[in-house]
């Protein structure tokens, strides 16, 4: 593993949610019944969503042991709870019954995971999906930064359903003030993001101005009607998923995931060391930007060596461009342009490729 990742702590909850668009991921990978899938775990969400395609196995992988533990906890919630209880337990809805739900879930967990969540039960009690470092970073933004710029009424108007022309006009006339630009670029700067959001080592190979890059991505999205129904943006601005839910938490997907939940297994460690062969699809999140070029090449070859013929690879680039085709000439673009709008608006691009 690359030198900077060797010095990153992997013993705390970095992400309580996945911050990549599961709808886009599923549209791209087109999981088929009986396939084997490897998926970066993170908060577990997108690995659960992949189960809706009826794969025979989804292997959720993460270097961070706590990301594995939160995925195991959510898996047990699927196994033990009804849909309304599931939403309450994870923090999508208000609840006074999380202790009761925890007592039902607890026996489903491995002993060390059970003890971990006994010690961290306050996170569950307060709403698990708000308990990661990244989620707390956004809480700082909406609690202390956003109110300096816009009132709640203005925020509500930004997210209100309206035409494309009305959205653009509102953004330019009401939202995009000098104060918004100044405060946004400062809060999402390399220093502040590295201190309170992502680990500074994750930004080691970034050469461009971080705050400026994130601002430009946000500016494009906030002018579009897509922002009005973006669950990730709603959570950043309000701390809730009230208007729309992530894919894995929607009512129409719950029973399918629950029926396939036994097909999800967990692996703590580097993705290229997973003991698997003939893997048909890979959800690689945005892991490649954390590597130097030599490590990227090593990991890429390790991943490709597990791939079945015609395997599909889906991944995001944030601020550093990486492509599996640079590591292996057999990797080609797959499926052409995807019309689906990426709700993970802060990413530079989304790649879907195939081994041929």
């Amino acid at each position: 593993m690359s030198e900077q990742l060797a010095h990153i702590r992997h013993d705390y909850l970095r992400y309580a949610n996945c911050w990549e668009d599961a709808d886009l991921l599923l549209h791209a990978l087109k999981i088929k019944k009986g396939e084997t899938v490897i998926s970066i775990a993170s908060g577990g969400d997108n690995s659960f969503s992949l189960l809706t395609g009826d794969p025979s196995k989804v292997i959720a992988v993460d270097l961070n042991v706590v990301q594995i533990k939160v995925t195991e906890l959510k898996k047990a919630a699927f196994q033990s709870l009804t849909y309304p209880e599931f939403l309450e337990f994870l923090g999508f809805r208000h609840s006074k019954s999380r202790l009761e739900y925890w007592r039902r879930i607890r026996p489903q967990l491995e002993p060390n995971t059970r003890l971990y969540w006994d010690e961290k039960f306050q996170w569950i009690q307060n709403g698990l999906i708000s308990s990661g470092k990244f989620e707390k970073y956004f809480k700082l933004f909406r609690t202390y930064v956003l109110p300096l710029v816009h009132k709640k009424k203005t925020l509500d108007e930004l997210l209100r359903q309206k035409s494309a022309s009305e959205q653009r006009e509102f953004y330019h006339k009401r939202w995009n003030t000098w104060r918004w630009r100044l405060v946004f670029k400062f809060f999402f700067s390399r220093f502040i993001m590295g201190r309170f959001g992502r680990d500074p080592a994750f930004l080691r190979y970034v050469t461009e101005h971080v705050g400026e890059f994130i601002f430009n991505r946000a500016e494009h999205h906030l002018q579009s009607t897509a922002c009005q129904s973006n669950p990730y943006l709603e959570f950043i601005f309000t701390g809730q998923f009230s208007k729309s839910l992530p894919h894995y938490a929607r009512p129409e997907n719950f029973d399918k995931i629950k029926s396939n939940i036994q097909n999800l297994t967990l692996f703590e460690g580097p993705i290229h060391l997973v003991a698997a062969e003939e893997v048909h699809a890979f959800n690689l999140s945005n892991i490649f930007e954390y590597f130097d070029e030599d490590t990227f090449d090593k990991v890429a070859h390790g991943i490709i060596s597990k791939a079945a013929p015609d395997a599909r690879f889906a991944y995001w680039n944030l601020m550093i461009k990486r492509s599996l085709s640079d590591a292996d000439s057999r990797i080609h673009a797959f499926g052409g342009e995807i019309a689906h709008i990426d709700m993970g608006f802060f990413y530079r691009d989304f790649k879907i490729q195939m081994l041929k």
Side-chain angles (χ1 to χ4, degrees):
M1 198 50 59
S2 58
E3 180 184 349
Q4 83 276 18
L5 292 186
H7 297 92
I8 291 174
R9 287 178 55 194
H10 297 298
D11 60 351
Y12 69 92
L13 185 59
R14 182 171 281 117
Y15 306 110
N17 305 274
C18 286
W19 290 95
E20 296 94 22
D21 186 344
D23 291 284
L24 178 63
L25 179 69
L26 293 173
H27 180 79
L29 286 179
K30 295 179 173 61
I31 304 301
K32 302 179 185 69
K33 185 177 180 65
E35 290 190 322
T36 297
V37 183
I38 288 180
S39 174
I40 296 299
S42 185
D45 313 353
N46 290 359
S47 300
F48 296 126
S49 290
L50 290 165
L51 291 170
T52 60
D54 287 323
S56 62
K57 181 182 291 187
V58 173
I59 306 170
V61 184
D62 212 289
L63 284 169
N64 186 328
V65 63
V66 184
Q67 300 301 149
I68 295 295
K69 291 182 188 301
V70 77
T71 303
E72 185 183 347
L73 178 64
K74 291 181 181 180
K75 176 181 178 179
F78 270 110
Q79 293 172 311
S80 306
L81 303 178
T82 66
Y83 178 66
E85 292 169 342
F86 178 84
L87 292 183
E88 287 186 33
F89 178 73
L90 293 186
F92 289 102
R93 301 292 181 260
H94 174 73
S95 179
K96 295 182 179 180
S97 304
R98 290 186 182 129
L99 179 58
E100 173 197 336
Y101 301 151
W102 167 238
R103 287 171 177 159
R104 285 159 51 188
I105 290 169
R106 194 175 181 275
Q108 303 284 343
L109 302 172
E110 294 292 330
N112 61 340
T113 305
R114 193 182 307 152
L115 292 174
Y116 180 86
W117 291 112
D118 281 339
E119 294 177 357
K120 301 294 185 181
F121 179 72
Q122 194 61 44
W123 292 359
I124 296 173
Q125 194 73 285
N126 294 338
L128 181 68
I129 61 171
S130 300
S131 298
K133 180 181 179 181
F134 205 49
E135 288 77 20
K136 291 175 181 177
Y137 174 58
F138 290 138
K139 183 177 181 180
L140 289 175
F141 174 72
R142 64 177 171 270
T143 303
Y144 298 107
V145 177
L146 189 58
L148 297 175
V149 183
H150 291 303
K151 296 179 180 179
K152 183 179 182 302
K153 181 179 179 181
T154 309
L155 173 60
D156 291 343
E157 180 61 22
L158 176 74
L159 302 180
R160 181 183 66 81
Q161 187 172 1
K162 49 192 174 297
S163 69
S165 59
E166 289 173 327
Q167 186 72 28
R168 287 192 298 272
E169 181 179 10
F170 177 84
Y171 176 81
H172 288 291
K173 290 188 175 180
R174 298 278 306 282
W175 189 268
N176 190 27
T177 65
W178 68 266
R179 193 188 299 267
W180 164 255
R181 295 190 293 271
L182 178 68
V183 170
F184 186 100
K185 291 176 185 179
F186 171 74
F187 189 81
F188 291 98
S189 65
R190 179 190 297 265
F191 174 76
I192 299 297
M193 185 181 292
R195 175 68 176 83
F196 297 103
R198 313 180 88 201
D199 195 294
F202 286 172
L203 302 171
R204 177 174 179 178
Y205 298 111
V206 175
T207 57
E208 56 191 299
H209 189 283
V210 174
E212 189 75 31
F213 175 86
I214 301 295
F215 176 83
N216 290 337
R217 300 300 303 162
E219 180 171 59
H220 176 77
H221 190 68
L222 295 179
Q223 292 181 68
S224 74
T225 56
C227 83
Q228 300 163 12
S229 58
N230 186 332
Y232 310 103
L233 183 68
E234 182 190 16
F235 185 89
I236 292 170
F237 279 158
T238 71
Q240 300 177 52
F241 294 102
S242 58
K243 294 172 65 176
S244 53
L245 293 165
H247 180 274
Y248 84 107
R250 295 173 196 160
E252 64 269 24
N253 300 322
F254 181 79
D255 288 339
K256 171 65 77 171
I257 295 173
K258 188 181 182 77
S259 67
N260 287 331
I261 198 68
Q262 73 281 353
N263 296 340
L264 179 77
T265 61
L266 305 174
F267 178 84
E268 179 196 345
I271 189 170
H272 63 293
L273 297 185
V274 176
E277 296 179 354
E278 294 290 298
V279 179
H280 303 94
F282 296 80
N283 162 33
L284 300 173
S285 182
N286 65 320
I287 62 169
F288 294 140
E289 67 184 273
Y290 305 146
F291 305 146
D292 58 45
E293 291 187 6
D294 289 341
T295 305
F296 164 70
D297 193 62
K298 176 183 177 181
V299 173
H301 281 98
I303 290 170
I304 295 167
S305 71
K306 304 177 191 306
D310 297 330
R312 292 93 66 203
F313 307 86
Y315 55 98
W316 283 261
N317 286 318
L318 183 55
M319 284 175 274
I320 297 177
K321 295 181 180 180
R322 298 282 195 224
S323 178
L324 282 173
S325 59
D326 294 335
D328 193 315
S329 61
R330 296 175 299 160
I331 303 294
H332 298 276
F334 167 64
E337 290 294 320
I338 297 177
H340 181 91
I341 294 173
D342 190 352
M343 293 299 181
F345 60 91
F346 27 79
Y347 290 104
R348 179 191 298 274
D349 60 38
F350 173 71
K351 288 187 176 293
I352 175 67
Q353 296 176 319
M354 176 181 278
L355 175 64
K356 293 186 178 180

